Amino acid sequence: MSEVKGGSRRDMYAALTRTAILDAARKLFVERGFDTTSVDDIARESQLSKGAVYHHFQDKQQVFAEVYLEAERIVMLEVAKAAAAPDLSPWDRAEAAAQQAISCYAADPDTRALLRQATSVLGSERTRELDATVAMPLIEGMLAELARVGELRPVNTDVAAQLVFRLLAEASMTVALAEHPEQLTEDVELVTFTMLRGLRAQPKS
């Protein structure tokens, strides 16, 4: 029994250490940027040794990938909440989710800062892979529901999911790169919704 308890304590300590590293790294990546933040900086900010950082992460790029992925998960949680709003039609839920995905970047400067750096740090393919990990299940589920209730045109839903994902990723990046993101959000939403509505089935006469 004591071994189990010891293992649990070790696991808890490891989880707390990992969280401290990621919290410190997020702060530094946002404030200083990836290029001017070193592993030594992350260790000092987290009040841990450099060895502790390397025990949990292969290198600084892996630390950034984890920080970025967690930021994207938080965005997707907000998107999922918007999509679960009661008393909305499936199509209105889809638009609410898309709107939330865009507005999250307009409202959160830290998440914008991470998104702006992601492609240069991780490469476009790896960034897209991480984004897809958190976003695609929701997009695929919503398109499947739209198809089920007859609100989606008869299209290949796998292709539609890929293209909707890319559209929303570009919309988010457009907001993240804007000098005044909150001012641009309305225009980005208008264009995004206009394009998405091309997938909507025409009402039966």
Side-chain angles (χ1 to χ4, degrees), residues 14-191:
L16 289 171
T17 301
R18 186 180 178 88
T19 298
I21 293 168
L22 292 175
D23 287 347
R26 177 188 172 102
K27 179 177 182 291
L28 293 171
F29 292 150
V30 167
E31 292 179 355
R32 301 185 189 179
F34 177 84
D35 291 336
T36 54
T37 297
S38 67
V39 173
D40 285 319
D41 293 330
I42 295 170
R44 279 193 297 271
E45 182 70 28
S46 59
Q47 299 183 342
L48 295 165
S49 69
K50 188 175 179 179
V53 177
Y54 280 119
H55 177 74
H56 289 275
F57 300 95
Q58 180 179 345
D59 53 26
K60 187 175 67 165
Q61 188 182 66
Q62 187 186 16
V63 178
F64 183 90
E66 290 293 329
V67 168
Y68 177 72
L69 184 59
E70 181 58 25
E72 293 299 286
R73 287 194 185 108
I74 292 170
V75 169
M76 281 303 110
L77 284 174
E78 294 303 314
V79 171
K81 288 179 186 177
D87 303 323
L88 293 179
S89 70
W91 186 268
D92 288 340
R93 280 199 295 273
E95 288 202 356
Q99 183 176 38
Q100 185 65 37
I102 295 168
S103 63
C104 277
Y105 292 97
D108 188 346
D110 290 2
T111 303
R112 287 201 306 275
L114 294 171
L115 179 57
R116 286 195 299 268
Q117 298 176 70
T119 302
S120 62
V121 174
L122 303 172
S124 57
E125 184 175 345
R126 178 62 173 150
T127 301
R128 186 162 53 245
E129 181 182 292
L130 292 175
D131 289 340
T133 298
V134 295
M136 283 299 286
L138 181 60
I139 292 172
E140 290 169 345
M142 298 194 79
L143 287 173
E145 175 65 8
L146 290 172
R148 186 186 70 81
V149 299
E151 287 202 60
L152 188 71
R153 288 178 182 270
V155 297
N156 183 316
T157 53
D158 290 336
V159 172
Q162 288 289 338
L163 295 179
V164 168
F165 165 69
R166 289 172 184 261
L167 171 61
L168 292 175
E170 288 301 317
S172 300
M173 182 62 79
T174 299
V175 170
L177 293 175
E179 185 176 357
H180 302 290
E182 292 185 357
Q183 295 177 18
L184 189 64
T185 297
E186 185 175 343
D187 290 334
V188 172
E189 289 177 355
L190 176 61
V191 173

